[in-house]
Amino acid sequence: MTHNDTTTENGATTGGVSALRVDLARWERIHADDCAVPPGADLAALTAELGEALRDPDPEVRDGAPYVVLRTWIRRDVVDRPLRARLGAVMAARFEDPEIEARTFAPLVLDMIVARGDHDPAWFDAFRRWYPAETDLRGYDPVRGWLHAVAHGADLLGTFGRHPDVDPCAVLALAADRLVAPTELVYAQQEDDRLAQGIARALTRPEPTEAEALAWLDPVEDLLAAGRPPGVPTTAAHVSNALRTLRMLYLLADTGVRPDAGAPAAVRPPHAEALKRRLTEVLAPAFQTA
């Protein structure tokens, strides 16, 4: 895939070198001051700088004080709806960024925004193009820090799945696309748990019929039923990942899932029993002997 740099209205770029400089020391001071907004602050400029910080190759910048400040300001409505809309557009474009840390932190920021109730169909469209197509699925890199494409995407998947303006069936189909996409990387940083949680959250929506709530499992069943190709002695990584994700989903269907991080109690999906039966069918090939 090729990427072209484009400049947004706030001066940031969606690819290549940013025009904005991130002042980490300032954000650490703001963080230490309970994320209070500096007097006379230009919120548009500060929001744009925070957006750039969340694509910085230095994990101390990307995953440090700027992340906490941005999350806090969005929750407190310091970053208001118009600014969130601008920031959301930047993050949606960032799914095509050439740098992995930019692509994988975009869903974290969009998750903050969509969790506030905001929605733009273009955001989900951009996410849907990126999530199953991403090939760099490393959880942690010793130089760049946490990347976590699958886990960060799973969190946004669940938040989109709960949003009333997003079709939960489209979210579930996207989850299936991610599960069946080939990869040589076995999830090792609880990506399977996070993906199962995102799927379970989407399944708590009341609108889908039982058939619609289960249809997304058909391509996953095809993957697992195919088994190992002749002469291949080991299970493919993406098959192993899918198996473990579905096992966790079975547990969440049985015990319930918190619809969001702040929910007071777990909720079972409306079609939990049918889901458990279907998961048992889909997982059956894992217990067949050669």
Side-chain angles (χ1 to χ4, degrees), residues 179-197:
L179 284 171
V180 303
T183 179
E184 296 181 358
L185 187 140
V186 175
Y187 298 159
Q189 302 296 336
Q190 292 190 275
E191 292 91 345
D192 44 355
D193 296 335
R194 296 269 284 275
L195 184 50
Q197 178 178 251

Side-chain angles (χ1 to χ4, degrees), residues 205-229:
R205 288 277 294 279
E207 299 94 333
T209 65
E210 179 179 304
E212 290 170 337
L214 305 181
W216 67 277
L217 283 164
D218 291 351
V220 187
E221 181 179 43
D222 291 342
L223 171 70
L224 301 184
R228 293 194 296 266

Side-chain angles (χ1 to χ4, degrees), residues 14 30 46 71 92 156 255:
T14 61
I30 292 173
L46 291 181
R71 182 183 62 194
L156 179 57
T255 63

Side-chain angles (χ1 to χ4, degrees), residues 72-265:
T72 303
W73 281 6
I74 289 175
R75 285 178 177 173
R76 293 177 180 174
D77 210 31
V78 172
V79 179
D80 61 13
R81 186 177 292 271
L83 281 178
R84 294 196 300 267
R86 291 170 59 181
L87 185 61
V90 172
M91 294 302 133
R94 198 165 286 176
F95 285 124
E96 296 188 3
D97 196 284
E99 300 300 334
I100 180 60
E101 65 273 6
R103 299 195 301 275
T104 60
F105 270 64
L108 285 182
V109 181
L110 273 177
D111 186 55
M112 300 174 193
I113 296 170
V114 177
R116 291 285 285 112
D118 300 349
H119 174 252
D120 183 330
W123 301 345
F124 182 69
D125 289 343
F127 176 59
R128 181 162 48 185
R129 290 191 297 270
W130 167 74
Y131 195 40
E134 180 59 64
T135 58
D136 190 342
L137 305 184
R138 291 173 294 163
Y140 184 82
D141 178 81
V143 174
R144 300 190 183 198
W146 285 105
L147 301 173
H148 241 183
V150 174
H152 293 173
D155 294 346
L156 179 57
L157 182 98
T159 301
F160 270 131
R162 290 288 302 165
H163 197 288
D165 293 334
V166 179
D167 178 6
C169 295
V171 172
L172 294 169
L174 176 57
D177 288 344
R178 179 64 272 175
L179 284 171
V180 303
T183 179
E184 296 181 358
L185 187 140
V186 175
Y187 298 159
Q189 302 296 336
Q190 292 190 275
E191 292 91 345
D192 44 355
D193 296 335
R194 296 269 284 275
L195 184 50
Q197 178 178 251
I199 296 169
R201 284 175 169 167
L203 284 164
T204 62
R205 288 277 294 279
E207 299 94 333
T209 65
E210 179 179 304
E212 290 170 337
L214 305 181
W216 67 277
L217 283 164
D218 291 351
V220 187
E221 181 179 43
D222 291 342
L223 171 70
L224 301 184
R228 293 194 296 266
V232 177
T234 58
T235 300
H238 62 292
V239 173
S240 176
N241 296 337
L243 288 168
R244 287 179 285 109
T245 300
L246 296 189
R247 289 168 189 158
M248 176 54 71
L249 181 59
Y250 186 101
L251 177 63
L252 294 173
D254 191 53
T255 63
V257 63
R258 292 182 185 272
D260 57 68

